[in-house]
Amino acid sequence: MEITKKANRRLYMLRMLKKFGFNHQELITVYRGYIRPLLEYCDTAWHSSLTAGQSKSLEQLQRRACRIVLGRNFTSYSEALQDCDLDSLCDRRVDHCLRFAEGLSNNPRTNDLLPPVRGRVHGRNLRNANKLSQLFTRTSRFQGSPVPYFISLLNS
């Protein structure tokens, strides 16, 4: 992936900043402002089609950044996330997708991109009346696209 190559170059810069004496908070600020945006750019468009291996490689980049920042104090990735006050990239991508999908459904200009709520389709008062209708997908490529993923997020 091209993203991982670019992020590796930027991690080298983070390593050099640590070598020059930057403290933990300054390194975390550099990571949040310079490296993490690269890992999350347009994540609402491609998160639903990521493979497990691709997601793991992105998460490994953040793990390496935490290891650079914490140095010898690094024990585990989950503790490093707490120490650096970071969330996992996967959790952040899901949160971004959910906020984007809610914005789509609440905006009058874009709410027609999603299917109507089930209660409006047939007019009956059912338990699932407030959920969106699922799209029929014939191919796995379309099933992995953002719109069906947004629908499943909004329904959950």
Side-chain angles (χ1 to χ4, degrees):
M1 287 173 52
E2 188 67 27
I3 294 173
T4 57
K5 289 179 184 178
K6 287 183 180 180
N8 279 323
R9 290 185 206 125
R10 293 183 183 189
L11 282 177
Y12 176 75
M13 183 206 59
L14 191 69
R15 201 173 296 119
M16 290 297 107
L17 291 174
K18 179 164 177 110
K19 189 176 179 181
F20 293 141
F22 278 49
N23 65 29
H24 290 36
Q25 280 308 114
E26 293 169 335
L27 291 172
I28 291 170
T29 303
V30 169
Y31 171 74
R32 282 184 176 158
Y34 189 63
I35 299 170
R36 190 169 69 181
L38 176 69
L39 300 174
E40 294 179 340
Y41 181 71
C42 292
D43 59 355
T44 55
W46 49 262
H47 170 67
S48 60
S49 60
L50 273 181
T51 64
Q54 291 168 336
S55 181
K56 185 179 177 184
S57 69
L58 290 173
E59 210 67 50
Q60 284 175 345
L61 285 165
Q62 180 164 290
R63 182 176 188 254
R64 286 180 45 215
C66 289
R67 181 168 278 181
I68 292 168
V69 169
L70 295 176
R72 293 183 180 183
N73 296 331
F74 181 88
T75 54
S76 70
Y77 181 52
S78 57
E79 288 181 22
L81 289 176
Q82 290 176 351
D83 292 344
C84 296
D85 194 28
L86 298 171
D87 295 325
S88 73
L89 292 175
C90 184
D91 292 344
R92 286 182 56 84
R93 286 193 305 267
V94 170
D95 184 52
H96 292 164
C97 288
L98 182 60
R99 283 191 286 147
F100 185 78
E102 287 171 347
L104 278 178
S105 65
N106 294 335
N107 189 341
R109 288 183 172 179
T110 59
N111 64 358
D112 60 336
L113 295 174
L114 298 173
V117 175
R118 292 177 186 163
R120 273 193 255 147
V121 173
H122 50 69
R124 296 182 181 159
N125 190 13
L126 302 173
R127 286 178 292 199
N128 296 328
N130 295 329
K131 294 190 175 188
L132 297 173
S133 301
Q134 288 290 337
L135 293 178
F136 174 71
T137 56
R138 289 186 295 182
T139 62
S140 61
R141 184 175 185 179
F142 182 52
Q143 180 62 39
S145 68
V147 174
Y149 180 71
F150 292 159
I151 292 169
S152 67
L153 277 178
L154 289 172
N155 285 340
S156 63

